[in-house]
Amino acid sequence: MALGTFVQDDVRQLVDGLNFAEKVERSLWLIREAYEEHGEHLAVANSLGKDSCVVWDLAKRVSPHIPGFIVTTRFKPPETKQFMKETVARYPELRVFDNPAPIPEKLWETDPDRCCDILKVKPTRQAIEEMDVHCWVTGLRCTEGRTRTDFEEVEERDKGLIKLNPILVWHEREIWQYLALYRVPVNPLYAEGYRSLGCGPCSRITSGGDERAGRWIGTSKCGGECGIHTRPLIDYQI
Ligand code: SF4
């Protein structure tokens, strides 16, 4: 079955219509199809969060040769930086991108959209351009929060750049189920109670509500997006 066939499926029905094992098989199939189509031009965006850990592990099951990239920032917690070091040591095919440009003090508080644009979106564009990516694979899930309900498993938001969201229909529980069953290492900060991890100043421990409710608390961006899933990623001056 061609990759495009999946686009027609109603992802909202799949969220509760497929069981855990069927979701794993579907995700593997999506990655395999995309890898066959795009080969070395396919790359996994690994944010080092729990969802990315699942996608990265699935991709490695499809082929150990699939490359990936990590976008990091100066504001990542020390635990995340350490986890990144360990992950890259284990998987040297993961490239790290960072924007060292100077920014105004506390920009994350005064203008978080601009801060994310400089520190996260720009390096993502850089990764896609430098690695000549035609298909990028993400850990996005439609049950994570209010801003993630309208995505599809296969998208072309930027012309010529396919975005594959192979675990779009997974529940949070199934992420932890996979990580436990396949013994995939995760950032130790999850043990402290975080449900969604980003930069230190913009991630809080919350209970109840959306999974992403602890992101950007106290700003207009609360529970929102950094921009890599909503802003253009190509045809842009880096
Ligand atoms: S998550 Fe916060 S600190 Fe990190 S880039 Fe975005 S606004 Fe800046």
Side-chain angles (χ1 to χ4, degrees):
M1 191 184 294
L3 189 58
T5 310
F6 287 100
V7 181
Q8 290 155 18
D9 288 335
D10 183 348
V11 291
R12 278 138 292 268
Q13 281 188 3
L14 297 176
V15 169
D16 290 315
L18 296 180
N19 65 38
F20 171 73
E22 289 168 336
K23 288 185 184 181
V24 172
E25 278 313 306
R26 183 180 180 88
S27 302
L28 285 167
W29 193 357
L30 282 166
I31 298 170
R32 200 175 297 122
E33 291 282 336
Y35 187 50
E36 274 174 22
E37 206 168 315
H38 298 281
E40 61 182 12
H41 296 290
L42 176 139
V44 176
N46 188 335
S47 74
L48 300 167
K50 64 188 191 310
D51 310 292
S52 282
C53 290
V54 169
V55 170
W56 183 247
D57 194 78
L58 289 167
K60 295 290 100 178
R61 285 169 66 179
V62 170
S63 168
H65 304 298
I66 290 180
F69 62 87
I70 294 170
V71 169
T72 190
T73 79
R74 68 203 75 180
F75 297 119
K76 291 287 181 181
E79 292 87 345
T80 303
K81 289 182 181 167
Q82 179 59 28
F83 182 61
M84 179 174 76
K85 261 170 92 175
E86 291 162 11
T87 306
V88 173
R90 191 169 165 206
Y91 299 106
E93 66 274 27
L94 271 171
R95 284 183 60 184
V96 178
F97 291 82
D98 189 6
N99 186 355
I103 57 171
E105 209 179 322
K106 291 206 170 178
L107 188 61
W108 48 267
E109 194 174 74
T110 56
D111 192 345
D113 282 324
R114 192 165 152 238
C115 188
C116 276
D117 196 49
I118 297 168
L119 300 184
K120 289 186 169 181
V121 181
K122 272 196 173 187
T124 303
R125 288 185 184 122
Q126 188 188 354
I128 283 166
E129 182 167 299
E130 277 187 23
M131 293 174 72
D132 197 10
V133 176
H134 298 181
C135 174
W136 68 304
V137 186
T138 87
L140 197 132
R141 293 181 15 255
C142 64
T143 58
E144 276 179 283
R146 61 179 172 80
T147 57
R148 301 216 158 169
T149 55
D150 287 333
F151 291 90
E152 300 294 339
E153 287 172 314
V154 186
E155 306 184 317
E156 190 176 351
R157 289 181 173 244
D158 295 276
K159 198 162 170 19
L161 176 65
I162 300 298
K163 180 180 181 189
L164 184 73
N165 305 313
I167 59 165
L168 189 71
V169 300
W170 289 40
H171 284 294
E172 183 182 19
R173 167 184 56 81
E174 290 161 333
I175 292 297
W176 289 111
Q177 200 170 345
Y178 184 96
L179 294 167
L181 285 168
Y182 293 97
R183 295 183 169 81
V184 180
V186 291
N187 189 325
L189 283 174
Y190 285 114
E192 294 184 15
Y194 289 93
R195 291 175 72 195
S196 180
L197 281 173
C199 294
C202 306
S203 303
R204 294 279 180 276
I205 296 172
T206 53
S207 54
D210 276 349
E211 209 173 315
R212 292 175 64 81
R215 304 292 291 275
W216 297 286
I217 279 182
T219 76
S220 55
K221 208 174 167 67
C222 185
E225 294 293 326
C226 69
I228 65 164
H229 296 300
T230 51
R231 307 259 292 121
L233 293 179
I234 53 173
D235 294 328
Y236 186 90
Q237 191 107 25
I238 291 174

